[in-house]
Amino acid sequence: MQRGFDSPGGSLTKFLKDMSFIARQPNGLLCRFSTVVDCVTEFNMTEEDYVEYCAERAREEARYNLSRRSFVQPYQLVLDEIRFDNITEDEFAEIRRQMETEVEKCEQ
């Protein structure tokens, strides 16, 4: 995969909602066209390159979200907001038991 023009502010813009499309190039590979900067930003991607590109963006977004203090809410909010329209109280009791059981190794 080759990268084309990167917009100014790269790291900030990668977390903003992306406005782009993927096109099949005449050579059979894929390119990504950004409607924000109105040009090609990636080209000569195989389908596997594109899948990995999307996976990496998802990983970056997840890391960014987890780094934001306001993203992860207190567990008590789960208990306060639970409604038993789509889950039974017994089902939730089992899930809650598992969530509150200490694990040997946990990332924090």
Side-chain angles (χ1 to χ4, degrees), residues 5-52:
F5 176 83
D6 278 332
S7 62
S11 63
L12 175 62
T13 57
K14 73 173 100 168
F15 299 114
L16 300 176
K17 181 99 175 131
D18 205 23
M19 298 180 66
S20 63
F21 61 86
I22 300 300
R24 178 91 44 203
Q25 301 167 182
N27 65 3
L29 297 174
L30 303 170
C31 69
R32 177 182 174 272
F33 185 90
S34 169
T35 58
V36 174
V37 294
D38 295 327
C39 66
V40 172
T41 57
E42 278 77 35
F43 62 100
N44 283 342
M45 291 186 288
T46 64
E47 290 183 6
E48 189 56 38
D49 287 337
Y50 177 70
V51 168
E52 183 53 37

Side-chain angles (χ1 to χ4, degrees), residues 82-97:
I82 187 76
R83 300 294 176 265
F84 298 104
D85 299 328
N86 297 305
I87 189 172
T88 67
E89 290 185 42
D90 289 342
E91 288 170 328
F92 182 67
E94 174 57 23
I95 291 170
R96 183 176 178 181
R97 184 191 66 72

